[in-house]
Amino acid sequence: MVYHLGVHATDGDRLLRTLLDNRDQLHKAGTEIVAPERHKDIFDEALQSLAGGSSTPEMEQIMLDAMLDGDNPQRVIMSTATFMGAYGRVVGREGLYPQIGRRAAALTRLFPSARTEFFVAIRNPATLLSDVLPLFAGGDYTELMQGNQPQTLRWRDAIQRLVASVQGRRIVIWCHEDVPLIWPEIIRLVAGAGPDVTLTGGSSYIHELLTDDGVAKLRDAMSSQDRLSVSRRRELFAEAIAADAQEDALDQSVDLPGWTQEVVDQVTETYRADVAEIAVLPGVEFILP
């Protein structure tokens, strides 16, 4: 059972759409993609009835029968930021994503007989909150922050809670800022697809950042390669971004109450320090660009 937890404002359903575009190929490899509308109500009802307990084998089978199309998939993938709750759950009194561990642990109890994997994108809190605040229906910036100061929002603490809660299950993490360079690897890792499985959509993310001319030049550059290694492909992606990114595609203004450039810089430095710690945290696989 594979859970892509988001987080909020990092994916825009791109991963789910890309996996669904490859549904036929993945189905042949024993993998099924379950859209949120197929599992949300089932999981909500199950978690409420379990009240912290674990599913019985009979309950597991009932849920699988209700949400799957295939008879016996070996890998089941679900992708939705709502696993982490509504936008107001991004920050709690204990900091950034205080419930990430509890929510992930609850998901492991839905199918205790299965292996469980978690995939998580993290993002600079400065840009994360900038995108989340306009979508937060519960109130204003003060309510969203729950009494926290910007400099205290630590991804390190959230991921440590996640690792402790899922008890040795696989956790794969990457930085949202790196996605244009590592998108093909993310798709393949989540899909559990080996090199023999042909997947499409690996260049879709970077194409969104480039001008039409840049997309054409990148396609020409990639097609001219006899054997395209991961490192060479990332070099081509980086060169394309540097030369042909759309205007303002890589820039984001941070417009949050009380945030000066100094605050943004401090939060960014803390985020970089947290990434360095998380990347070597036991129990975490980190996708580096």
Side-chain angles (χ1 to χ4, degrees):
M1 305 303 291
V2 179
Y3 299 99
H4 171 226
L5 303 181
V7 294
H8 301 90
T10 60
D11 180 68
D13 290 336
R14 288 183 183 88
L15 183 58
L16 177 64
R17 293 197 306 268
T18 302
L19 293 171
L20 288 172
D21 287 344
N22 288 279
R23 185 179 348 205
D24 291 343
Q25 281 294 102
L26 293 174
H27 183 73
K28 294 175 185 176
T31 297
E32 183 162 341
I33 319 302
V34 182
E37 59 269 19
R38 292 290 299 273
H39 64 70
K40 184 181 185 305
D41 291 343
I42 295 170
F43 285 3
D44 288 347
E45 183 177 342
L47 291 170
Q48 184 175 2
S49 66
L50 288 171
S54 295
S55 297
T56 63
E58 293 78 14
M59 188 173 179
E60 288 187 70
Q61 192 59 53
I62 289 171
M63 288 190 288
L64 291 172
D65 289 343
M67 64 191 236
L68 298 181
D69 291 326
D71 293 330
N72 188 31
Q74 299 303 299
R75 187 176 184 86
V76 178
I77 302 173
M78 292 147 287
S79 172
T80 171
T82 58
F83 283 135
M84 293 295 97
Y87 290 104
R89 301 289 187 178
V90 172
V91 182
R93 295 191 182 279
E94 300 88 352
L96 203 60
Y97 286 100
Q99 298 189 65
I100 190 170
R102 292 192 295 273
R103 286 180 171 269
L107 292 173
T108 67
R109 293 192 290 270
L110 287 174
F111 300 96
S113 67
R115 291 188 303 273
T116 308
E117 300 180 3
F118 294 97
F119 290 79
V120 185
I122 63 176
R123 183 178 182 181
N124 187 334
T127 59
L128 172 63
L129 294 178
S130 292
D131 280 354
V132 164
L133 183 58
L135 303 171
F136 174 44
D140 60 7
Y141 170 79
T142 300
E143 187 170 347
L144 177 65
M145 289 294 284
Q146 295 286 302
N148 288 275
Q149 295 301 311
Q151 296 87 343
T152 65
L153 299 178
R154 303 296 301 265
W155 272 113
R156 175 198 62 192
D157 301 341
I159 299 304
Q160 286 176 343
R161 288 192 291 269
L162 174 62
V163 171
S165 296
V166 302
Q167 301 178 336
R169 293 172 174 87
R170 187 186 190 196
I171 301 172
V172 181
I173 297 176
W174 61 91
C175 289
H176 174 68
E177 294 82 4
D178 295 333
V179 167
L181 298 182
I182 62 176
W183 186 237
E185 287 74 62
I186 294 171
I187 297 168
R188 198 164 285 278
L189 281 171
V190 174
D196 56 320
V197 179
T198 301
L199 299 178
T200 62
S203 299
S204 60
Y205 202 107
I206 193 171
H207 286 175
E208 295 179 18
L209 303 178
L210 301 178
T211 63
D212 291 344
D213 186 52
V215 170
K217 288 194 291 186
L218 177 60
R219 284 175 173 156
D220 288 344
M222 293 179 66
S223 64
S224 68
Q225 305 290 312
D226 291 332
R227 298 189 56 152
L228 190 61
S229 65
V230 171
S231 60
R232 179 56 183 152
R233 194 262 308 149
R234 289 180 178 179
E235 288 177 3
L236 293 175
F237 277 18
E239 291 168 2
I241 291 172
D244 294 298
Q246 297 179 40
E247 186 176 358
D248 298 329
L250 305 180
D251 297 326
Q252 180 174 347
S253 60
V254 175
D255 185 15
L256 295 167
W259 285 55
T260 63
Q261 184 61 53
E262 181 181 6
V263 171
V264 173
D265 291 344
Q266 290 171 347
V267 170
T268 301
E269 284 304 311
T270 299
Y271 173 58
R272 289 172 177 162
D274 280 357
V275 169
E277 288 193 48
I278 293 167
V280 297
L281 190 66
V284 167
E285 298 174 38
F286 204 93
I287 307 177
L288 293 168

